[in-house]
Amino acid sequence: MTSERDIIRDLKNRFPVRTSVEVGIGDDGAVLRPGDKPVIVVTDMLLDGVHFDLSSASPELVGRKAVAVNLSDLAAMGCWPTAAFISIAVPKSIAATDTFISSLYDGMQALSDQFEFTIAGGDTNTWHGPFAINVCLTGSPTSAAPVLRSGAKPGDVLMVTGPLGGSLPSGHHLTFEPHLQLSKWLLQNTDVHAMMDISDGLSIDLHRMVEASGTGAILNADAIPISPHVDSGLSADQRLKHAMSDGEDFELLIAVSATDAKRLASQTEPHAFVRVGEVTESNDVLLKTGDNLTHLPADGWQHLSYSESR
Amino acid sequence: MTSERDIIRDLKNRFPVRTSVEVGIGDDGAVLRPGDKPVIVVTDMLLDGVHFDLSSASPELVGRKAVAVNLSDLAAMGCWPTAAFISIAVPKSIAATDTFISSLYDGMQALSDQFEFTIAGGDTNTWHGPFAINVCLTGSPTSAAPVLRSGAKPGDVLMVTGPLGGSLPSGHHLTFEPHLQLSKWLLQNTDVHAMMDISDGLSIDLHRMVEASGTGAILNADAIPISPHVDSGLSADQRLKHAMSDGEDFELLIAVSATDAKRLASQTEPHAFVRVGEVTESNDVLLKTGDNLTHLPADGWQHLSYSESR
């Protein structure tokens, strides 16, 4: 099968953007312009056995995650949620369907209460397949316009909002807090050039940002914050590998001017921002380890082969 | 399991409508008001073995149907599509994944070209379950405001836009033409009080319209147009039963004033509209057969027991 990256590129070429759609396929969300105000739309489908495992995760946590990953996409666009649309396919093999659906909605309701958006529609089905859920969220920008991943400029500093790696095995992917408040604060206090959430791993997602921006980047391996969720018994290289490629971190990756980066890096309130690299003019994405620069392939760190010398 | 009707009612009570959402759970779609113009959002999830069967239907027809049923919801709201968001879960057992996805999108592209909307985002996954697809569509009203199912008034005439029944066995559900143009024409030429599409069968869907409108209705059994897709070898009663309860007709059910109904009924261009009943003040939904009136239960004709005398 072609990679998701190729599929997205094909679809992008195949479906030209028409009237009233400002941004189509290729960012964390789409930007529609129905009238004087933009509407941002994000969507994610989550599947049992792929994005969660109902044999260990409660329906409540699964419902929560399905909404939270979409909230993270909105945060990455500098937006606040307005409405959610929930479609579910519930296995006929689940005995207590009503209880299952109710628990699922408990997890979603907690987030809709916290961030004050409306669950405004959806579709409920039963079938003989495993559990599947699709969430579509609409949002509006917290500042003048949504923040795209395409605005990074050479000389910008790349920062992340938290430590990376180990999200799936630790269960962090089920309980993480979507950075809506932080995103809002950032846009009120900083000129954010580009932003996205780290869902597939810093390595792949950084490539997406610089490709969209028409730039390159140098990532500083020594600066990448490694989550305590990453097994501390592993070697330093292995731990770094997990931090860069595990995915489902849902931290934000931002590109800001060097001046703004300096200011952000010096503070811990309301949040500590970590400087992980910089945006460059060339299209290369390089990893800096000590004084050594190596190419970071587009398909991510996980496909790199390690030489003994590293 | 609780009926979908009960689930929708529970969700409606549980999730109050918040700022910038004008219409939430309970109509064909939701109405958001982000700025000076409304945005209408509809969504439907379609599942292999439930809404189509990939062992007999081509991926192209499946992709087409998944978008078409959502277009029908927009037509029912008096809206025109602007953007589509497509999430798919593709079985790992499908050998030629790329070809499969490409064919699927061929079916969707035909409709996006025909009605000039943008496929603006989505999510592509593979898994060990059967094929699932979720489509979320945004739209804008073709007249001043979207048409809801809640606007029917006592004295209104109920009309349908085409014959009913037999859609699933005949394959009509895969190839039907969503009534976007007809809906647009209607709103330009008629004051439509209430409108919805017939997806679960006239019997259930009429109950939904009158419940939303706080009215009742009398349906004239002898006037209901029976589709040629319904087996002609069946008895007249059985054929009527199919017309009222098969579902997936995707014809429009409208409530208009008696004057407008008379005008619509007298014309065949651009379309023939069929008068099937009237809206009443009482909350009863009655079926008129000859001079005989019987209650039509909320869960539809299919659960009625027939006496020998009918």
Side-chain angles (χ1 to χ4, degrees), chain A residues 85 120, chain B residues 23-24 26-31 40-43 73 77 148-149:
Chain A
F85 301 85
Chain B
V23 177
D27 214 297
D28 290 285
V31 182
I40 286 73
V41 184
V42 299
T43 191
D73 281 329
M77 303 278 289
L148 306 181
R149 50 175 79 166

Side-chain angles (χ1 to χ4, degrees), chain A residues 10 60 76 115 119 121 150 181 186 244 257 271 282 289 302 306:
Chain A
D10 287 348
E60 192 169 344
F115 298 113
I119 297 187
S150 55
Q181 291 287 5
L186 262 171
M244 290 182 62
S257 73
H271 201 87
S282 99
T289 315
Q302 72 269 35
Y306 291 84

